[in-house]
């Protein structure tokens, strides 16, 4: 007969909005073990598996720490407790927790004061004067009853209540194998029950197998990043109800290395809580972030093949995006090809239509290069150095902006978007430069066939001022550049060939080039390295902080209208590196709003 051997959860910490999928191992009547489901609709020899999820409600109220969501709160910030929007951020598990988080927490006070009327300024000054804020005492009595979140709608599953001893009540919240915690579950333990049932009588057979989770915690919510206009106007860009700036004829482009699951190891990111590093949590958090930007074109790197087909393509399709994908080649990488990552480009179907797709495989280019330039005796060595499986995805789109003035010439407005992930090995400076040069030469061929604006996005794994970055923005590389000293295969010689004719400019250099000034905008310039005009960082871990990600554009055909604000110490707690519970990649997303210039209308 069918029987349950054991059940467990990959993560015992449930988070609101993140699906819980228990592991259930059963023994079939033929004595074989399996994790396959046996639903009521397809019983096995007259038996099936019945699932139930319960919320364990206790008479004792529990409030969760806003910094360490697995800990119970004991203290509350008085300033935040008086402002409804800050109440969820007001709870702390200890005085040390509050003190350690003060630098980040203080910015919440400052932002609240800026957004509220002048009557609140006195409260801000009183709370900030001590240098560590003010704390309420232990959470007890009425303090513990303060709501920490909007409970939202009631669960769709009908609630059946069974009273238990000891002041606990079980509220049935789900009848499927999987369950997604809601806001109503915050601070409560969940109970999962699996039992064999008779298909005919519906009666259970034997004892249920059960597991209890930790208390449900709210999904961490980072402060939203705003679009900053680069025309010198004071203030932030105002977003519409779809969370993006609406401007006739303009469009937005997002570039984001999302950190593949295979790369998100606990050894590399031991500082990130295991539940926040798990793929079930990160995929939900990443999707929320990406969809929230409402970009017209989305360029993602490190998207695993299985995740593209099973998660990102279908989920973004629901939000009006068409998807294109190029998986890395697998001459170097081993294992299942479904886990190999690549580049994914999405575009909004109501804003663009697909014209053409080009796949760039640097491995093929390496083979052609070695066949043409490398002596036979050195070919194996050369290929071992050059073949790294990196790729680029180039997409040509046609704009169909309904609010854009009609082009009198009747010519189509085309836009070319390149999405790439350059080799990560820092000692292979020649390979990085060769890959970037190869991509640029391919883009030059496309540019020669049409007067077309170009965007080059991605994770270039190269710092501002490096030879690849210099080639991109200057169109050439100084023969004395130190990176050129690394060229064991002589593939970069003569150095005079390291050129291109595309007038590329880095979008985020607009913060400096356009001389943005005004109230509140000077702080955005402080997030830029004035020596390179690039962000201080787009990648932030315990071992590395610097810029590897860029959005380049052809300055003779496009102009930047606004940029997504960069993160700094205000956006990251002082003890936080990436990934974190708030930000689920080790990179930050870049987003720019562009407008085509009149030159692009020439036929």
């Amino acid at each position: 007969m069918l029987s349950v051997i054991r059940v467990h959860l990959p993560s015992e910490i449930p988070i609101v909005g993140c699906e819980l999928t228990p592991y259930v191992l059963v023994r079939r009547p033929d004595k074989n073990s399996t994790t396959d489901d046996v639903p009521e609709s397809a019983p096995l020899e007259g038996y099936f598996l019945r699932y139930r999820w319960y919320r364990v409600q206790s008479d004792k109220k529990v409030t969760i720490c806003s910094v360490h969501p697995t800990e119970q709160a004991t203290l509350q910030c008085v300033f935040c407790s008086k402002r409804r929007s800050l109440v969820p951020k007001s709870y702390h598990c200890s005085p040390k927790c509050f003190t350690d988080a003060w630098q980040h927490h203080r910015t919440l006070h400052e932002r609240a004061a800026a957004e509220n009327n002048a009557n609140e300024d006195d409260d801000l000054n009183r709370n900030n004067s001590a240098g560590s804020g003010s704390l309420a005492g232990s959470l007890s009595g009425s303090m513990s009853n303060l709501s920490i979140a909007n409970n939202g709608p009631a669960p769709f599953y009908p609630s059946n209540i069974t009273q238990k001893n000891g002041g606990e009540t079980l509220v049935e919240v789900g009848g499927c194998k999987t369950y997604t915690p809601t806001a109503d579950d915050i601070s409560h333990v969940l109970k999962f029950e699996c039992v064999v049932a008779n298909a005919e009588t519906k009666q259970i057979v034997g004892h249920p197998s059960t597991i209890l989770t930790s208390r449900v915690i709210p999904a961490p919510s980072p402060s939203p990043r705003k679009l900053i206009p680069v025309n010198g106007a004071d203030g932030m860009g105002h977003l519409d109800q779809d969370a993006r700036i609406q401007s006739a004829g303009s469009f937005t482009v997002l570039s984001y290395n999302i950190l593949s699951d295979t790369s998100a190891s606990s050894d590399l990111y031991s500082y990130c809580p295991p539940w926040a590093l798990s793929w079930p949590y990160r995929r939900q958090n990443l999707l929320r972030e990406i969809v929230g930007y409402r970009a017209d074109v989305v360029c993602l790197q490190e998207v695993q093949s299985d995740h593209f087909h099973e998660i990102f393509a279908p989920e973004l399709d629901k939000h009006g995006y068409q998807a294109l994908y190029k998986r890395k080649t697998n001459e170097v990488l081993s294992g299942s090809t479904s886990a190999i990552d690549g580049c994914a480009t999405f575009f909004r179907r109501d804003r663009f239509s697909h014209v053409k797709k080009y796949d760039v495989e640097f491995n093929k280019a390496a083979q052609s290069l070695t066949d043409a330039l490398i002596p036979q005796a050195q070919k194996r060595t050369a290929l071992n150095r050059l073949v790294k499986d990196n790729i680029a995805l180039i997409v040509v789109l046609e704009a169909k902006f309904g609010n854009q003035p009609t082009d009198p010439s009747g010519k189509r407005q085309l836009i070319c978007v390149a999405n790439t992930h350059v080799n990560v090995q820092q000692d292979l400076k020649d390979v990085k430069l060769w890959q970037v040069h190869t991509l640029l030469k391919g883009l030059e061929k496309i540019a020669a066939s049409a007067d077309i604006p170009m965007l080059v996005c991605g994770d270039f794994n190269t710092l501002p001022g490096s030879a690849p970055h210099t080639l991109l923005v200057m169109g050439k590389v100084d023969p004395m550049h130190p990176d050129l000293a690394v060229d064991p295969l002589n593939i970069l010689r003569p150095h005079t060939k390291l050129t291109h004719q595309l007038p590329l400019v880095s979008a985020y250099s607009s913060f400096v080039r356009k001389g943005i000034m005004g109230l509140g905008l000077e702080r955005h310039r402080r997030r830029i390295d004035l020596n390179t005009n690039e962000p201080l960082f787009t990648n932030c871990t315990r071992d590395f902080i610097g810029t590897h990600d860029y959005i380049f554009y052809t300055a003779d055909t496009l102009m930047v209208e606004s940029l997504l604000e960069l993160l700094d110490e205000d956006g990251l707690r002082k003890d936080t590196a990436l990934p974190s519970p708030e930000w689920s990649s080790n990179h930050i997303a870049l987003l720019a709003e562009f407008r085509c210039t009149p030159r692009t209308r020439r036929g």
Side-chain angles (χ1 to χ4, degrees):
M1 190 182 76
L2 187 69
S3 61
V4 179
I5 299 175
R6 69 187 180 98
V7 298
H8 79 88
L9 283 169
S11 174
E12 293 183 353
I13 301 175
I15 304 105
V16 170
C18 295
E19 184 179 81
L20 295 171
T21 304
Y23 173 88
V24 179
L25 182 65
V26 298
R27 180 174 288 110
R28 298 163 54 93
D30 61 6
K31 305 303 181 183
N32 289 323
S33 300
T34 181
T35 57
D36 293 340
D37 194 12
V38 185
E40 185 177 0
S41 59
L44 189 62
E45 295 189 7
Y47 296 93
F48 68 95
L49 295 178
R50 194 194 76 177
Y51 306 107
R52 294 288 185 270
W53 283 92
Y54 300 95
R55 181 192 308 130
V56 182
Q57 296 190 170
S58 172
D59 293 340
K60 181 181 179 182
K61 301 294 183 181
V62 176
T63 309
I64 302 299
C65 174
S66 61
V67 178
H68 306 100
T70 58
E71 301 295 329
Q72 182 175 337
T74 60
L75 302 168
Q76 185 179 34
C77 172
V78 174
F79 178 87
C80 295
S81 70
K82 297 177 180 178
R83 289 153 180 82
R84 179 175 298 180
S85 63
L86 296 184
V87 167
K89 301 286 189 181
S90 67
Y91 298 102
H92 298 268
C93 54
S94 68
K96 183 178 186 301
C97 166
F98 183 77
T99 302
D100 290 346
W102 172 243
Q103 285 298 110
H104 174 73
H105 190 87
R106 181 174 56 185
T107 65
L108 301 178
H109 294 196
E110 294 169 350
R111 289 174 180 174
E115 294 172 359
N116 291 326
N117 58 49
N119 291 334
E120 292 180 334
D121 289 345
D122 291 340
D123 290 335
L124 176 67
N125 293 333
R126 283 195 295 270
N127 280 280
N128 284 351
S129 62
S132 60
S134 299
L135 287 172
S138 299
L139 291 177
S140 60
S142 61
M143 185 68 72
S144 65
N145 293 324
L146 282 173
S147 172
I148 65 170
N150 184 348
N151 284 333
F156 289 113
Y157 194 84
S159 297
N160 298 317
I161 300 178
T162 303
Q163 187 68 38
K164 286 192 66 179
N165 294 329
E168 289 188 342
T169 301
L170 292 184
V171 178
E172 188 175 325
V173 292
C176 300
K177 183 177 181 180
T178 61
Y179 177 67
T180 302
T182 69
D184 291 333
D185 298 319
I186 291 175
S187 300
H188 296 292
V189 169
L190 296 176
K191 179 179 180 180
F192 172 71
E193 178 183 281
C194 175
V195 66
V196 176
N198 186 292
E200 182 177 348
T201 66
K202 311 301 187 218
Q203 297 297 311
I204 65 173
V205 179
H207 296 287
S209 296
T210 62
I211 46 176
L212 293 174
T213 70
S214 300
R215 297 185 185 277
V216 176
I217 63 175
S221 55
S223 300
R225 297 169 64 189
K226 298 179 180 179
L227 280 170
I228 314 301
V230 295
N231 56 10
D234 287 349
M236 307 299 180
H238 295 289
L239 303 182
D240 69 355
Q241 61 182 355
D242 288 331
R244 64 188 180 102
I245 287 179
Q246 291 290 330
S247 180
S250 69
F251 63 96
T252 52
V253 178
L254 173 76
S255 184
Y256 196 6
N257 180 328
I258 63 171
L259 180 63
S260 68
D261 183 40
T262 55
S263 299
S265 71
S266 56
D267 291 337
L268 284 175
Y269 307 109
S270 58
Y271 50 82
C272 183
W275 59 266
L277 197 59
S278 69
W279 179 243
Y281 173 76
R282 289 205 309 118
R283 75 183 182 195
Q284 297 289 342
N285 208 30
L286 287 166
L287 280 169
R288 275 196 297 268
E289 182 185 2
I290 294 166
V291 170
Y293 291 131
R294 294 282 292 170
D296 295 310
V297 180
V298 176
C299 296
L300 303 182
Q301 302 87 44
E302 286 200 35
V303 181
Q304 289 180 203
S305 180
D306 52 348
H307 293 164
F308 172 78
H309 293 290
E310 297 171 9
I311 299 170
F312 288 98
E315 287 298 320
L316 289 177
D317 176 71
K318 298 175 185 176
H319 295 274
Y321 289 93
Q322 184 171 329
L324 297 166
Y325 183 70
K326 174 57 183 174
R327 179 174 59 84
K328 285 182 180 177
T329 46
N330 60 330
E331 295 180 44
V332 176
L333 299 169
S334 59
S336 171
T337 56
S338 65
I340 296 176
D341 67 90
C343 295
T345 299
F346 305 83
F347 61 90
R348 292 177 59 86
R349 288 187 291 265
D350 62 337
R351 302 279 284 167
F352 293 97
S353 58
H354 175 223
V355 176
K356 197 169 183 63
K357 172 177 180 277
Y358 301 90
D359 292 336
V360 179
E361 295 184 0
F362 293 117
N363 283 6
K364 288 184 178 180
Q367 186 66 58
S368 299
L369 179 68
T370 54
D371 289 344
L373 299 179
I374 305 299
Q376 185 65 38
Q378 299 176 11
K379 282 188 176 181
R380 181 180 294 275
T381 299
L383 288 173
N384 285 340
R385 186 173 184 85
L386 293 173
V387 171
K388 299 302 177 187
D389 288 336
N390 299 98
I391 53 88
L393 170 62
I394 303 173
V395 179
V396 177
L397 304 174
E398 179 181 356
K400 49 182 179 181
F401 306 143
N403 53 6
Q404 182 173 325
T406 303
D407 183 358
S409 68
K411 297 297 183 181
R412 298 189 300 171
Q413 175 61 71
L414 301 179
I415 295 172
C416 180
V417 181
N419 181 7
T420 191
H421 190 184
V422 174
N423 184 249
V424 68
Q425 293 172 260
Q426 296 306 311
D427 58 324
L428 299 180
K429 298 182 186 299
D430 55 326
V431 177
K432 292 176 185 290
L433 181 55
W434 168 75
Q435 288 184 351
V436 169
H437 185 249
T438 300
L439 173 60
L440 290 169
K441 287 303 174 183
L443 291 174
E444 277 189 323
K445 292 180 180 178
I446 298 174
S449 64
D451 187 5
I452 182 171
M454 291 200 166
L455 292 153
V456 188
C457 309
D459 176 2
F460 290 81
N461 273 310
T462 190
L463 293 169
S466 64
H469 180 267
T470 301
L471 177 62
L472 280 156
V473 298
M474 300 299 293
K476 61 182 180 180
V477 182
D478 188 321
M480 301 305 294
H481 195 291
D483 285 0
L484 298 183
V486 180
D487 187 18
L489 302 175
N490 291 325
I491 59 173
L492 304 179
R493 292 183 174 85
H495 297 154
T496 53
K497 75 177 182 179
L498 298 175
T499 63
H500 70 90
Q501 301 303 313
L502 301 174
L504 293 175
V505 174
S506 175
Y508 272 80
S509 67
S510 298
F511 272 136
V512 176
R513 291 186 302 103
K514 296 200 176 185
I516 296 177
M517 296 297 291
L519 181 63
L521 290 177
E522 181 61 26
R523 66 189 180 95
H524 296 287
R525 294 190 66 190
R526 293 199 296 268
R527 302 173 188 182
I528 297 290
D529 183 343
L530 297 182
N531 293 318
T532 63
N533 292 350
E534 295 288 3
L536 290 174
F537 70 87
T538 64
N539 183 308
C540 177
T541 69
R542 287 281 171 86
D543 300 320
F544 173 82
I545 182 166
T547 294
H548 278 169
D549 307 87
Y550 308 90
I551 298 176
F552 300 102
Y553 67 98
T554 46
D556 64 336
T557 56
L558 293 168
M559 62 180 292
V560 178
E561 296 227 322
S562 60
L563 295 165
L564 186 67
E565 68 177 330
L566 296 164
L567 293 182
D568 62 358
E569 64 275 6
D570 292 342
L572 296 173
R573 291 197 298 268
K574 67 176 183 179
D575 61 341
T576 300
L578 300 178
S580 69
E582 292 81 9
W583 307 101
S584 288
S585 175
N586 56 340
H587 295 251
I588 64 170
L590 302 180
L591 184 147
E593 181 189 19
F594 295 98
R595 179 183 297 279
C596 297
T597 61
R599 178 181 178 276
T600 62
R601 301 187 189 282
R602 296 207 310 259

